[in-house]
Amino acid sequence: MDFDSLFKSQLDALRAEGNYRVFADLERKRGAFPKADRHKDGDVDSVTVWCSNDYLGMGQHPAVVQAMIDTVQSCGTGAGGTRNISGNSVHHLALEAELADLHGKERALLFTSGYVSNWAALSTLGSRIPNAVILSDAGNHASMIEGIRHSRADKVLWKHNDWRDLDRKLHAVGDRPKIVAFESVYSMDGDIAPIREIIEVCEAHGAMSYIDEVHAVGMYGPRGGGVSEELGLAHRIDLIEGTLGKAFGVVGGYVTGSEALCDFIRSFASGFIFTTALPPAVAAAATASIRHLKTSSAERDAQKARVATLRARLDRVGIPHMANDSHIIPVMIGDPVKCRMISDILMHDWGIYVQPINYPTVPKGTERLRITPGPLHTDADIDHLVAALTALWSRCALAHAVA
């Protein structure tokens, strides 16, 4: 078989649909975020990044940068292998203690990414709990879907953010062990789950509650513990999963919960047992970031102010954006080709980087620009973005929002 011809034909079909992904060649500059250098055909231009998941700019924070530098100087670069082989670094243990404290849990367990922590935890729970059924919100992230699939446990979908549908489906499952998996902030629409109602339904049916807080940790709550902390509900959730690669500005994932739960996952999850541990310098930088955000609300307050300002400006000029209560602003395009084209023009003509979001990340017909204002975006940055979008809306014959 001519495999390359098969690959090329499917890639050509992806291009024809407007869903072929093109990555920007960017170089972040310490101390300049959200500015970055764009490399193209040997040239270097400055662009303003509007779609980073480094929501608070903590990847640039002096304390975080210095913690990583100091630990590289003292420990070297890599971890040397899995924690089973190379041992527990004191930096891994310190970070896990910091994370357990952040969420008010007995223990935390580190993974190499948020994707891996979801995949490993859900696949382990679903496969090792006899006769388990996992009830998954219809809007859950690919990492959760893949973990559930890999577990081979029975799966029941419930309507997105519909706790009444969850209640009905938990009742129908009966007395089997039940795990309810959902997110706090959904990354593409920016909507927030009705966490209190979901927890109450879980408690009524004796189900384990599993919440993904990856887009909320660092961002919400008085210490950055996520939406569950902000609502005072973290203690009622069995497992809280999060990431170090977004608002905390580093890389890695984790789960938190009871001592027994975390030890169970540590002992049976192949995604933990057989994966090289995070470098100690990464763990130290993450610890510094979490400690800072536990005591500083300045970054969160400034970020919220930037979001409110940009939303008001978009409303003023009639640029349609999806309403939600989070920090994510989806600017709706509804066409994959136009979405790609607008992103390209913003980059080439305006020095603005916003990656287009197309299928399969979002359903066809809901293509968008996903904008994430941060505390380091200036008024001038916002003015420039709004002017660019206003010009392109007319140029590309897109509909304006109705006042």
Side-chain angles (χ1 to χ4, degrees):
M1 183 175 184
D2 186 348
F3 289 103
D4 277 353
S5 293
L6 171 67
F7 301 151
K8 290 175 182 177
S9 67
Q10 295 195 27
L11 289 169
D12 288 342
L14 199 63
R15 290 186 181 93
E17 295 169 356
N19 290 322
Y20 181 77
R21 296 168 188 253
V22 179
F23 299 155
D25 296 335
L26 300 181
E27 183 179 4
R28 286 158 60 102
K29 307 297 289 186
R30 184 168 63 127
F33 189 77
K35 307 296 182 185
D37 285 346
R38 173 183 176 249
H39 296 259
K40 180 75 171 178
D41 300 326
D43 295 327
V44 180
D45 302 312
S46 177
V47 298
T48 303
V49 179
W50 278 99
C51 54
S52 176
N53 283 343
D54 187 357
Y55 294 132
L56 301 176
M58 291 302 294
Q60 307 284 311
H61 194 280
V64 178
V65 173
Q66 195 61 51
M68 183 173 284
I69 291 171
D70 291 345
T71 310
V72 166
Q73 293 289 355
S74 63
C75 296
T77 53
T82 68
R83 289 167 71 174
N84 181 56
I85 291 172
S86 296
N88 274 329
S89 162
V90 295
H91 299 289
H92 295 140
L93 296 175
L95 175 54
E96 286 176 341
E98 204 70 46
L99 288 165
D101 174 76
L102 176 67
H103 294 295
K105 300 299 182 185
E106 293 177 352
R107 188 167 173 180
L109 186 66
L110 286 174
F111 291 87
T112 50
S113 73
Y115 189 103
V116 174
S117 56
N118 265 333
W119 173 84
L122 283 167
S123 64
T124 301
L125 292 170
S127 63
R128 300 289 307 190
I129 298 174
N131 200 32
V133 58
I134 302 178
L135 295 97
S136 177
D137 184 288
N140 276 345
H141 188 263
S143 59
M144 303 175 81
I145 295 169
E146 185 63 18
I148 296 167
R149 186 194 68 80
H150 187 76
S151 77
R152 298 185 179 179
D154 288 341
K155 171 178 143 181
V156 175
L157 283 179
W158 46 286
K159 295 176 184 177
H160 178 53
N161 280 346
D162 188 339
W163 59 269
R164 292 180 178 86
D165 188 51
L166 171 63
D167 185 44
R168 288 190 292 269
K169 289 178 175 174
L170 279 168
H171 181 75
V173 167
D175 292 334
R176 297 174 60 184
K178 299 172 282 291
I179 303 166
V180 173
F182 64 106
E183 301 180 41
S184 58
V185 178
Y186 287 84
S187 62
M188 290 300 118
D189 289 353
D191 53 332
I192 297 177
I195 298 174
R196 184 181 303 277
E197 289 84 354
I198 292 171
I199 292 172
E200 289 173 352
V201 169
C202 288
E203 291 171 344
H205 291 275
M208 175 187 292
S209 50
Y210 181 117
I211 190 169
D212 173 319
E213 287 258 37
V214 297
H215 291 277
V217 290
M219 301 294 293
Y220 301 90
R223 301 195 310 157
V227 182
S228 58
E229 183 201 25
E230 186 167 281
L231 297 175
L233 298 170
H235 65 289
R236 294 172 64 183
I237 300 174
D238 295 302
L239 187 151
I240 299 176
E241 185 267 351
T243 185
L244 307 170
K246 293 182 170 61
F248 292 131
V250 194
V251 67
Y254 64 88
V255 297
T256 64
S258 69
E259 176 75 28
L261 174 59
C262 290
D263 197 25
F264 180 82
I265 295 171
R266 182 193 70 88
S267 299
F268 293 111
S270 63
F272 176 84
I273 296 169
F274 299 107
T275 302
T276 297
L278 288 173
V282 169
T287 301
S289 182
I290 294 165
R291 286 176 179 168
H292 175 81
L293 290 174
K294 280 180 177 178
T295 59
S296 173
S297 62
E299 292 81 6
R300 288 187 284 274
D301 293 343
Q303 195 274 341
K304 290 173 184 174
R306 297 289 80 190
V307 169
T309 298
L310 180 55
R311 281 194 181 276
R313 292 294 309 280
L314 293 174
D315 287 339
R316 194 178 308 163
V317 297
I319 301 296
H321 56 99
M322 189 177 292
N324 60 53
D325 294 324
S326 77
H327 55 285
I328 296 166
I329 304 179
V331 172
M332 307 307 293
I333 308 296
D335 179 275
V337 176
K338 286 185 177 180
C339 197
R340 174 81 261 175
M341 178 177 65
I342 289 172
S343 175
D344 289 344
I345 295 171
L346 285 170
M347 179 79 92
H348 297 153
D349 296 353
W350 296 83
I352 292 169
Y353 175 55
V354 185
Q355 184 71 354
I357 306 296
N358 293 343
Y359 178 84
T361 306
V362 295
K364 292 180 179 180
T366 69
E367 293 80 10
R368 67 199 64 185
L369 303 176
R370 177 183 176 274
I371 299 175
T372 54
L376 300 178
H377 285 107
T378 66
D379 288 337
D381 291 333
I382 292 176
D383 291 342
H384 187 60
L385 174 63
V386 173
L389 290 174
T390 301
L392 288 177
W393 235 249
S394 298
R395 176 176 171 180
C396 298
L398 294 166
H400 284 75
V402 178

